Amino acid sequence: MTNFETYYLTKFRQDINQFFSTIPDQSKFHEDNQNKQTLSIQYERLTREFDHLNFLSADDKANFGVALFFTVLVDEVCYTHFNSNYETFRRLTLYPKFIGNCLSWCHYHLHPRDIFNAMNQTQIKSQDNTSFNRLDFYDKFNEAIPIMKTEILNFFKQYLSDVDEQQFWKKCKIEFPYIINNEKTDE
């Protein structure tokens, strides 16, 4: 079993690149099909129906989901609450956008907690009647918090020092999908 920090620092970048390599251009560049500079992840691409994550073990899928949650969260928090710094942030990170499916909600950015729902979604009726084990993100999420807090705070100290990194972290924590036991909510 790979701990989150090891996964995030050594495998996540490789895994997200492999994930995107399986997705057709019209989906992965859905919001930027002209320039192909901004990657998009449509909700359905994380579901078992599309099998884009089949190359990962169950443990790595949980790590991937949590790492992707924080990646999308940080991008959305910066855009929403620190918009005057967003263009610089975007150029530095090139983080993907998490959007809905076509035809109805492909132009909407989804909350990153929906990553966990998508990764645990099954088809209503399975062709071969097989079952699957739902991924449990809770423990990985708790494990990731101090690591991601350090990563985020250090990023803003180093690259966007005019952003108050503690305020940024507070905005991130408000969006956590789980009640966290190891960190006070008022910090």
Side-chain angles (χ1 to χ4, degrees):
M1 213 163 130
T2 307
N3 72 28
F4 180 81
E5 183 172 27
T6 300
Y7 175 82
Y8 183 75
L9 296 175
T10 63
K11 287 191 73 192
F12 178 60
R13 187 177 312 251
Q14 171 188 331
D15 286 350
I16 199 163
N17 287 337
Q18 186 165 350
F19 167 71
F20 276 116
S21 75
T22 69
I23 298 174
D25 279 1
Q26 70 270 16
S27 178
K28 73 179 166 190
F29 296 114
H30 190 72
E31 291 196 332
D32 186 21
N33 55 23
Q34 296 280 354
N35 300 319
K36 295 184 176 11
Q37 298 296 309
T38 303
L39 292 166
S40 299
I41 301 171
Q42 291 181 290
Y43 182 96
E44 65 189 4
R45 300 297 172 168
L46 294 172
T47 67
R48 295 169 195 268
E49 182 178 348
F50 280 84
D51 298 331
H52 294 296
L53 297 173
N54 280 353
F55 67 94
L56 296 170
S57 68
D59 188 51
D60 280 349
K61 282 181 186 176
N63 279 321
F64 180 87
V66 171
L68 185 59
F69 168 89
F70 277 102
T71 300
V72 172
L73 176 68
V74 167
D75 185 74
E76 290 185 2
V77 166
C78 192
Y79 181 83
T80 302
H81 299 287
F82 300 88
N83 195 269
S84 62
N85 300 98
Y86 184 73
E87 276 309 308
T88 303
F89 173 85
R90 188 190 64 74
R91 280 193 309 275
L92 290 169
T93 63
L94 298 175
Y95 283 172
K97 311 306 173 213
F98 182 48
I99 60 174
N101 303 331
C102 291
L103 294 164
S104 58
W105 38 293
C106 59
H107 297 290
Y108 294 99
H109 290 240
L110 303 179
H111 194 285
R113 74 175 159 263
D114 292 326
I115 290 166
F116 304 137
N117 297 331
M119 290 178 72
N120 273 326
Q121 182 176 319
T122 60
Q123 293 174 311
I124 294 172
K125 193 173 197 176
S126 174
Q127 297 291 340
D128 58 4
N129 293 323
T130 57
S131 63
F132 70 95
N133 295 325
R134 291 180 61 78
L135 297 169
D136 182 9
F137 295 102
Y138 183 81
D139 289 336
K140 290 286 183 188
F141 190 82
N142 272 305
E143 181 186 345
I145 289 171
I147 294 139
M148 296 312 299
K149 180 179 182 181
T150 299
E151 288 287 315
I152 291 165
L153 296 180
N154 287 342
F155 174 85
F156 284 101
K157 282 180 192 172
Q158 185 172 356
Y159 298 106
L160 286 167
S161 58
D162 54 326
V163 171
D164 181 334
E165 70 271 4
Q166 293 298 330
Q167 279 301 107
F168 192 96
W169 180 248
K170 284 182 184 181
K171 298 292 186 186
C172 289
K173 283 176 44 178
I174 291 168
E175 302 300 329
F176 285 2
Y178 304 111
I179 297 171
I180 306 306
N181 296 325
N182 64 351
E183 191 171 273
K184 295 177 187 172
T185 57
D186 60 349
E187 285 183 10

